[in-house]
Amino acid sequence: MASSSSQPKVVLLDIEGTVCPISFVKDVLFPYALSALPATLQAQWDKPEFSQYRNAFPAEHATSQEALTAHVKDLMSRDVKIAYLKSLQGYLWEAGYKSGELKAPLFDDVAPKFVEWKKDGKEIMIYSSGSVAAQKLLFKHTNGEPADLIPEISDFFDTVNAGPKQEASSYQTILSAHPEVPEASDWLFLSDNVKEAEAAKQAGMQSFVVERPGNAELSAEDREKHRVIKTFAEI
């Protein structure tokens, strides 16, 4: 276990495998997007409000509904994280969240800890590979109490406005966006991904690895190098 740490002023959170099960994205959100896609394309294809999503795709994949559907299926089968796909997924998920079909299954310790952190004057921010729009949908529609955690969150970062999550420069970008908390050591990043935790540490942040049910197995070396927590109650 890593050495003890000072109390952070900012808690920066990953989503999948940290605040909710990894399975929610792969087993619920992804299939929902694929099932909703054909009817959505049929209804929205020529509408002006949908054009921003369609036109963001490479031209050869936006020639028809069939071509776009095939490209989306290919990207999702390979779990490719690319901005135009993430934007479309967020658009599809929005309808599901609003209808109540989708609700983010947070781990039990998450919502109470959000309230406690805010009461203690800590800032809560999110950094996920999912788009900022998708992040906001997830935190607005949860199974927690309160269900809408958006008011507790100060900022959202993704791979577009911050950069790749396994690169230290991305965490430096996040730091530079908040000069009111200039000391990197006042930031705590929580993630299930060891390489992300290492990148945050390289940028000077504190970082713990979160071990949740369904997450990838951690090695003995991982446990030696990083503080590992099973629940936010340990913080």
Side-chain angles (χ1 to χ4, degrees):
M1 182 182 288
S3 60
S4 61
S5 54
S6 60
Q7 280 295 312
K9 294 179 180 176
V10 179
V11 182
L12 182 64
L13 295 166
D14 170 52
I15 295 179
E16 300 170 47
T18 299
V19 302
C20 73
I22 286 178
S23 59
F24 175 60
V25 175
K26 288 187 168 55
D27 296 345
V28 178
L29 289 184
F30 281 8
Y32 182 89
L34 284 175
S35 67
L37 183 61
T40 301
L41 293 182
Q42 195 168 6
Q44 305 291 337
W45 186 257
D46 292 317
K47 292 189 176 177
E49 59 267 28
F50 187 72
S51 63
Q52 62 176 305
Y53 302 100
R54 187 188 69 220
N55 294 341
F57 276 69
E60 67 269 24
H61 298 300
T63 54
S64 67
Q65 296 177 36
E66 293 74 22
L68 192 143
T69 299
H71 186 51
V72 167
K73 286 181 176 178
D74 173 57
L75 293 174
M76 289 182 65
S77 70
R78 294 185 287 120
D79 196 20
V80 175
K81 300 181 190 301
I82 195 164
Y84 61 80
L85 173 65
K86 294 290 183 183
S87 295
L88 177 62
Q89 288 172 330
Y91 176 81
L92 295 168
W93 292 331
E94 184 172 9
Y97 280 115
K98 285 183 174 177
S99 71
E101 288 180 82
L102 294 175
K103 193 173 284 189
L106 301 183
F107 292 111
D108 291 345
D109 53 285
V110 174
K113 198 67 176 180
F114 270 46
V115 174
E116 180 186 319
W117 279 331
K118 290 299 287 186
K119 198 174 291 184
D120 290 345
K122 292 177 173 54
E123 298 294 327
I124 301 168
M125 301 183 195
I126 308 300
Y127 182 27
S128 171
S129 58
S131 70
V132 167
Q135 294 174 30
K136 289 180 177 179
L137 283 171
L138 186 150
F139 283 104
K140 188 172 180 62
H141 305 275
T142 80
N143 65 345
E145 183 57 52
D148 180 1
L149 290 173
I150 294 292
E152 314 297 331
I153 301 169
S154 303
D155 209 349
F156 296 84
F157 296 94
D158 59 16
T159 54
V160 175
N161 66 5
K165 294 185 70 185
Q166 296 183 11
E167 295 183 10
S169 60
S170 301
Y171 298 86
Q172 290 161 351
T173 297
I174 292 172
L175 284 167
S176 67
H178 287 277
E180 72 277 12
V181 190
E183 293 295 330
S185 59
D186 287 332
W187 293 63
L188 172 63
F189 176 59
L190 302 177
S191 175
D192 65 304
N193 189 299
V194 171
K195 290 182 178 177
E196 294 175 5
E198 288 172 351
K201 285 182 175 180
Q202 287 169 18
M205 292 183 180
Q206 301 179 53
S207 187
F208 303 160
V209 174
V210 183
E211 186 176 30
R212 299 287 198 178
N215 287 6
E217 197 66 37
L218 296 172
S219 68
E221 183 184 4
D222 293 336
R223 296 178 186 279
E224 184 66 31
K225 287 172 63 178
H226 301 278
R227 179 176 171 188
V228 177
I229 62 170
K230 293 180 181 292
T231 166
F232 289 178
E234 295 177 44
I235 302 170

